[in-house]
Amino acid sequence: MYQVIARKYRPQSFSELIGQEHIQKTLVNAIASNRIAHGYIFSGQRGTGKTTVARILARCLNCVQGPTATPCGVCSSCVEISASNSVDVIEIDAASNRGINEMREIRENVRYRPARDRYKVFIVDEAHQITKEAFNALLKTLEEPPEWVIFILCTTEAYEIPNTIASRCQHFNFRSVDFTEIVNRMKFIAAQEDIDADENVLSVVAQAGEGSVRDSLSALDQAIACCGKTLRVEDVRALLGVFDVDSLRAVADAINAQSPSKMLEIVQELETNGKSLQHFSRELSRYWRNLLVVKIAGKPTRLIAASDAEQQSLLEVAASFTEEDLTRYLNLTLELYKALQTSLQPRLHLELGLIKLVHAGKLQSIEEVLAGLKTPAATRSVPPAEPNALLSASTRSTAPRPSGFQVPAKAPAPSSKRPEEVSANQLVDTNPDNLAQLLFNALSKAKLDFTADAIQHSAVTLQGSELLIRVPKAMLLSLKDPAFQRIASEILGKSVRVRIESGENVIANSLEAPASESRQEAEIRERALSHPGVKRFQELFPDAHVRTVRNLNE
Ligand SMILES: Nc1ncnc2c1ncn2[C@@H]1O[C@H](COP(=O)(O)OP(=O)(O)OP(=O)(O)O)[C@@H](O)[C@H]1O
Ligand SMILES: [Mg+2]
Ligand SMILES: [Zn+2]
């Protein structure tokens, strides 16, 4: 009778197991030091060895030569456990035996000594399916287990095992298995089965398994069923729907060539070859993800499922993009994938999505821009300033800024008049910045720091005889201070009404520092601002503000 590869090649001892070293090591030590727990939870991704390890453990414990980490494999215990017909190793599929009656039966069974072997091992598959009541019945057994009883609960959903149970068990988490290890295991199996399959073929098969050994082996079975003893990479790829790295690379190339028409050709080709467009977008997301990972790693990495040749190709392509670009493309492609799930016109959506990638283009990295600053394209008409004045610039800041770059250098110096001296009829200057400045100075002087701070973040405008102050919501209360009302009317005169509004995105006025710059400071500032590098920076980042000019000699 034909037996599927996954079952035929189920590891019979720890030495055959791939991955899961952490589990293997702990169990081998436990066996050697005779510290076997009565309850185990094996959790993790499907097809990564939970049931397999449960059986190996049972063999280790019950082998005639045991307990041993290297069961003989030939005694009747070993043989029966592999064939899963040992009386003392009981496998229960909790998916179909999940009720309280089954658990009661187990509880009964537990009381009797093993028929022949050292231990009675209960392997409960899909343990998360057990009902709450049934778990409670099981709990009694786990609380005071007879010395010969061992429970192994296998599950893909560990969090569904009640804490009361989990805290009485040792918990092992099975990891998805490394790509190369799966490929190597399949190489071994292919040789045993006399299958002609090179590394490229096997890496396609392994990709289809996504870290599950069983899924990879099932894919291998499928490939053999379809293609016979000789597996060719194109056939297997077509069968399993795995896209060639090169065909995905065409998308990256089209972006590099800034060519929407190339993108359209790619879609055309997918259509003529009857490829699923949804699947393509999914594979494309994975491709961006892989590029991003090799970009970050800077060398071939086991974090991605790809053969050596594919890793090289990925590295090459990744070199032509920045991390930011790749992240952006990944995002866009994920959106595209989502849109394609429900799209009635997938072709249209895919075309649009790919063209969008071209238009999203490549952003210059900040490093590149800064490098460009050193070789200014701007005219060098301004004599270079002394290099000791350094600028720190930022895009529009919300932090209180001592001076705003938007304030021209010849802006009126902050008022040195006492607030009381200013009255509404003196307010010839209706420049909102200056109004805000007056208020700010007066409030600072009156030590109303919170209110001054609020003004600094507000937009102040004079509309006729009404002074409108828009303040960020969070600071509204600071302006409700009666002292503010008083100071405001003192500054503005009785004829002016103050109206306060709160808003979300208030764009504040530009204010000068309360203390005026010294003459020397102003000079340094002037010099720094006329530095060609700074000028060029401001051309490149028109929204940038110069916040401070620092003298590095100080
Ligand atoms: N770590 C592994 N090393 C070698 N082969 C493995 C490994 N994990 C799984 N396999 C292969 O996959 C098959 C299924 O494994 P197993 O039944 O142990 O998976 P599982 O983790 O119990 O999965 P499920 O959650 O679906 O029950 C095995 O027969 C074996 O061929
Ligand atoms: Mg299992
Ligand atoms: Zn044995």
Side-chain angles (χ1 to χ4, degrees):
M1 199 187 81
Y2 175 72
Q3 201 180 10
V4 297
I5 287 177
R7 287 189 59 195
K8 186 166 170 189
Y9 290 91
R10 187 191 283 283
Q12 300 299 330
S13 63
F14 284 126
S15 62
E16 277 179 76
L17 197 70
I18 56 173
Q20 325 304 359
E21 287 80 9
H22 57 302
I23 293 167
Q24 201 169 323
K25 202 169 136 199
T26 319
L27 288 177
V28 167
N29 283 339
I31 294 165
S33 55
N34 203 13
R35 300 170 73 95
I36 305 298
H38 286 285
Y40 288 95
I41 294 174
F42 289 176
S43 68
Q45 200 193 337
R46 70 206 135 79
T48 50
K50 299 181 291 296
T51 307
T52 304
V53 172
R55 288 201 192 157
I56 294 176
L57 181 59
R59 270 180 149 209
C60 290
L61 298 175
N62 279 353
C63 174
V64 169
Q65 319 216 344
T68 166
T70 50
C72 74
V74 292
C75 70
S76 42
S77 288
C78 283
V79 172
E80 285 172 15
I81 291 170
S82 312
S84 53
N85 56 14
S86 160
V87 262
D88 291 324
V89 177
I90 300 123
E91 294 197 28
I92 302 150
D93 177 14
S96 41
N97 302 288
R98 53 202 294 267
I100 188 149
N101 288 337
E102 283 85 1
M103 288 306 139
R104 287 216 178 103
E105 228 170 83
I106 292 174
R107 229 164 69 187
E108 278 301 296
N109 191 335
V110 158
R111 289 168 37 205
Y112 305 107
R113 290 186 163 271
R116 177 190 60 201
D117 297 339
R118 241 166 259 114
Y119 290 98
K120 234 178 194 171
V121 183
F122 293 84
I123 301 176
V124 186
D125 253 322
E126 313 291 330
H128 59 273
Q129 303 251 20
I130 297 175
T131 62
K132 207 170 146 221
E133 297 74 32
F135 265 127
N136 279 335
L138 187 62
L139 190 60
K140 295 245 163 42
T141 310
L142 277 175
E143 261 164 357
E144 286 166 13
E147 57 187 297
W148 54 80
V149 163
I150 290 167
F151 275 94
I152 306 176
L153 308 179
C154 301
T155 176
T156 45
E157 264 109 304
Y159 52 86
E160 292 200 17
I161 308 274
N163 276 335
T164 44
I165 298 280
S167 67
R168 289 174 172 80
C169 295
Q170 274 186 27
H171 189 166
F172 290 102
N173 191 16
F174 284 64
R175 302 179 183 145
S176 61
V177 178
D178 262 5
F179 179 75
T180 33
E181 285 189 85
I182 296 184
V183 170
N184 287 338
R185 174 79 178 159
M186 285 199 294
K187 255 189 216 159
F188 165 79
I189 294 175
Q192 298 289 309
E193 294 282 308
D194 209 13
I195 303 292
D196 180 13
D198 67 11
E199 175 130 10
N200 286 333
V201 173
L202 295 180
S203 78
V204 169
V205 177
Q207 271 165 34
E210 298 189 17
S212 158
V213 187
R214 187 200 297 108
D215 289 2
S216 303
L217 295 183
S218 303
L220 184 61
D221 251 330
Q222 201 185 339
I224 296 169
C226 165
C227 312
K229 292 238 164 203
T230 306
L231 304 184
R232 292 189 325 128
V233 71
E234 305 83 56
D235 300 343
V236 174
R237 213 176 255 142
L239 173 75
L240 300 176
V242 174
F243 279 88
D244 183 3
V245 175
D246 287 336
S247 74
L248 296 166
R249 181 178 178 154
V251 174
D253 290 343
I255 294 176
N256 273 330
Q258 284 293 293
S259 165
S261 70
K262 278 209 176 118
M263 289 295 193
L264 296 180
E265 278 165 31
I266 292 172
V267 181
Q268 173 64 31
E269 201 171 314
L270 290 170
E271 282 275 85
T272 16
N273 293 326
K275 297 271 162 86
S276 151
L277 303 185
Q278 275 96 341
H279 187 59
F280 175 78
S281 66
R282 190 185 121 123
E283 292 290 300
L284 186 60
S285 321
R286 200 202 300 258
Y287 182 63
W288 292 127
R289 181 259 173 195
N290 286 348
L291 283 172
L292 188 59
V293 173
V294 290
K295 179 86 195 174
I296 291 167
K299 55 176 195 276
T301 162
R302 56 184 196 82
L303 293 176
I304 58 178
S307 67
D308 291 347
E310 286 168 341
Q311 297 246 13
Q312 279 312 324
S313 157
L314 287 168
L315 273 168
E316 242 172 73
V317 175
S320 61
F321 297 103
T322 63
E323 262 176 59
E324 291 80 8
D325 286 333
L326 294 171
T327 315
R328 224 147 23 90
Y329 301 147
L330 176 56
N331 266 327
L332 285 171
T333 309
L334 284 173
E335 272 167 31
L336 175 63
Y337 172 64
K338 221 160 81 193
L340 281 177
Q341 296 305 300
T342 51
S343 171
L344 295 177
Q345 298 193 305
R347 177 173 183 158
L348 195 86
H349 257 112
L350 183 60
E351 286 174 340
L352 265 176
L354 293 183
I355 291 174
K356 222 165 154 187
L357 289 182
V358 176
H359 290 165
K362 293 172 38 170
L363 291 184
Q364 233 182 336
S365 76
I366 188 85
E367 288 84 2
E368 280 175 294
V369 174
L370 292 178
L373 282 179
K374 298 211 178 87
T375 50
T379 49
R380 279 195 160 265
S381 59
V382 192
E386 275 164 39
N388 60 1
L390 173 111
L391 260 173
S392 73
S394 78
T395 47
R396 185 159 191 102
S397 83
T398 49
R401 48 201 139 83
S403 63
F405 176 65
Q406 290 163 323
V407 181
K410 55 182 185 311
S415 167
S416 54
K417 292 181 176 177
R418 291 168 53 79
E420 303 87 83
E421 292 166 353
V422 187
S423 70
N425 30 24
Q426 285 172 283
L427 277 176
V428 274
D429 190 357
T430 54
N431 178 339
D433 284 347
N434 295 343
L435 283 174
Q437 187 76 62
L438 282 174
L439 279 171
F440 176 74
N441 290 351
L443 292 164
S444 304
K445 207 157 239 160
K447 300 263 181 284
L448 293 172
D449 290 342
F450 283 120
T451 319
D453 197 36
I455 281 293
Q456 209 170 21
H457 288 87
S458 303
V460 178
T461 41
L462 187 64
Q463 298 171 342
S465 63
E466 185 175 75
L467 182 74
L468 175 65
I469 299 175
R470 295 198 65 237
V471 60
K473 241 194 195 117
M475 298 182 140
L476 181 61
L477 276 184
S478 308
L479 290 190
K480 291 267 154 93
D481 192 326
F484 167 68
Q485 296 287 351
R486 181 176 51 77
I487 290 180
S489 11
E490 270 171 19
I491 290 177
L492 300 164
K494 304 242 171 333
S495 55
V496 179
R497 215 162 54 83
V498 179
R499 191 153 67 88
I500 298 169
E501 272 181 9
S502 70
E504 295 294 348
N505 301 312
V506 176
I507 297 180
N509 297 92
S510 303
L511 297 188
E512 292 277 339
S516 59
E517 290 175 335
S518 73
R519 206 198 178 93
Q520 195 196 5
E521 276 166 340
E523 214 172 86
I524 290 179
R525 184 179 169 78
E526 189 92 8
R527 233 171 37 209
L529 291 179
S530 57
H531 186 282
V534 177
K535 287 198 150 168
R536 179 135 171 76
F537 196 97
Q538 276 166 349
E539 276 165 35
L540 288 169
F541 303 104
D543 283 340
H545 294 276
V546 177
R547 291 177 58 189
T548 42
V549 176
R550 239 173 354 121
N551 189 339
L552 290 185
N553 287 347
E554 277 168 7

